[in-house]
């Protein structure tokens, strides 16, 4: 069976799927976590892999960038391939002063400037929130066995914006004043489609840069190492 954007058979995907934006990162994650990873789809180069981690099935698939791309893949996975849980693993820009480059943010909710969730229930400002059970599992994993290279783990609201290169003047500062931790481009749509399809969803984000404080930057090497910390939390949530 194939859907327009995924060429796989029923049963090719595990009940839980980790989704980074970059399909090559999906491949690196699958190779790092699994001895038995097999490619299950590669339509448009959007690679998806399935294997086992600690004896439990897990899939990893790229989502592309932005809410429309994420929603296409998430809808097909949740409605056609028996997927029950999606955990986005990606990077985000820091907004809150206490969030530093290299830290990890568990996104308990996602504000958005996108119309995608606004269209869901006319007259309602849809609240895009993470699955509590998954968020709790990720949080507990962050408390239980923190590796020394892991940054601080935060849990709280983020914003999923549609623009990467355009921001209305003053918006980032106002978001910071409202306790928003970070910005990325997918989580609100993930939480919306998961709500629509009765699935569980969470986004776990590594801070790669800071929008209001450019004093720290991360090398490519550091990005990969820090990303591993977030991945550990994502696997714990996926298998909780
Ligand atoms: N904006 C949106 N997404 C991001 C950013 C950003 O500044 N940094 C990492 N992902």
């Amino acid at each position: 069976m194939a859907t327009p954007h995924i060429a796989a058979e029923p049963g090719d995907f595990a009940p839980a799927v980790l989704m980074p934006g970059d399909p090559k990162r999906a491949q690196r994650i699958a190779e790092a976590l699994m001895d038995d990873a097999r490619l299950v789809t590669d339509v448009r180069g959007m690679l998806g892999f399935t294997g086992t981690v600690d004896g439990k099935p897990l899939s990893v698939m790229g989502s592309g960038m932005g809410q429309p791309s994420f929603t296409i893949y998430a809808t097909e996975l949740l409605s056609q391939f028996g997927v029950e849980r999606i955990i986005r693993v990606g990077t985000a820009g820091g907004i809150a002063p206490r969030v530093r480059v290299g830290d990890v943010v568990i996104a308990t909710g996602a504000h958005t400037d996108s119309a995608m969730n606004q269209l869901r229930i006319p007259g309602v400002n849809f609240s895009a929130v993470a699955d509590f059970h998954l968020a709790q599992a990720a949080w507990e994993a962050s408390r239980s066995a923190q590796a020394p290279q892991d940054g601080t783990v935060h849990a709280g609201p983020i914003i999923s914006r549609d623009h990467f290169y355009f921001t209305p003047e003053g918006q980032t500062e106002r978001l910071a004043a409202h306790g928003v931790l970070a910005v990325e481009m997918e989580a609100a749509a993930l939480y919306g489609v998961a709500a629509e399809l009765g699935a569980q969803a969470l986004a776990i984000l590594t801070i790669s840069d800071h929008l209001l404080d450019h004093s720290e930057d991360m090398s490519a090497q550091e990005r990969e190492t820090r990303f591993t910390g977030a991945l550990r939390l994502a696997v714990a949530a996926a298998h909780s």
Side-chain angles (χ1 to χ4, degrees), residues 81-178:
F81 292 98
V83 173
E84 298 165 359
R85 290 180 168 181
I86 292 178
I87 297 157
R88 161 162 157 73
V89 286
T91 55
I95 289 185
R98 73 174 189 282
V99 170
R100 315 301 305 173
V101 170
D103 286 0
V104 170
V105 170
I106 297 169
T108 55
H111 306 294
T112 188
D113 57 10
S114 166
M116 291 189 76
N117 287 333
Q118 191 184 314
L119 297 172
R120 290 187 173 282
I121 308 171
V124 169
N125 291 320
F126 183 87
S127 293
V129 294
D131 179 77
F132 179 76
H133 174 90
L134 295 185
Q136 189 179 40
W139 180 254
E140 282 175 4
S142 80
R143 301 297 97 182
S144 63
Q146 185 131 12
Q149 79 273 14
D150 292 359
T152 303
V153 179
H154 309 265
I158 62 158
I159 180 158
S160 303
R161 277 176 179 154
D162 277 346
H163 277 284
F164 185 89
Y165 288 114
F166 170 80
T167 308
E169 196 169 336
Q171 189 191 78
T172 303
E173 291 78 3
R174 288 180 72 86
L175 288 165
H178 283 76

Side-chain angles (χ1 to χ4, degrees), residues 91-93 164 183-185 208-209 211:
T91 55
F164 185 89
V183 54
E184 49 81 93
M185 304 184 71
S208 58
D209 51 273
L211 272 64

Side-chain angles (χ1 to χ4, degrees), residues 4-93:
H5 308 93
I6 300 174
E9 295 303 317
D12 273 346
F13 283 93
V17 183
L18 307 189
M19 296 189 78
D22 176 0
K24 288 281 178 55
R25 177 161 265 160
Q27 181 162 22
R28 288 199 296 277
I29 292 172
E31 286 165 358
L33 292 179
M34 305 165 181
D35 297 326
D36 56 352
R38 65 187 176 92
L39 182 72
V40 293
T41 182
D42 65 354
V43 180
R44 289 175 182 248
M46 199 56 79
L47 310 175
F49 300 85
T50 296
T52 55
V53 178
D54 300 328
K56 294 183 191 165
L58 187 70
S59 295
V60 190
M61 182 174 171
S63 68
M65 289 179 282
Q67 304 192 54
S69 180
F70 203 111
T71 303
I72 288 168
Y73 294 110
T75 302
E76 293 180 16
L77 288 171
L78 296 172
S79 66
Q80 305 296 321
F81 292 98
V83 173
E84 298 165 359
R85 290 180 168 181
I86 292 178
I87 297 157
R88 161 162 157 73
V89 286
T91 55

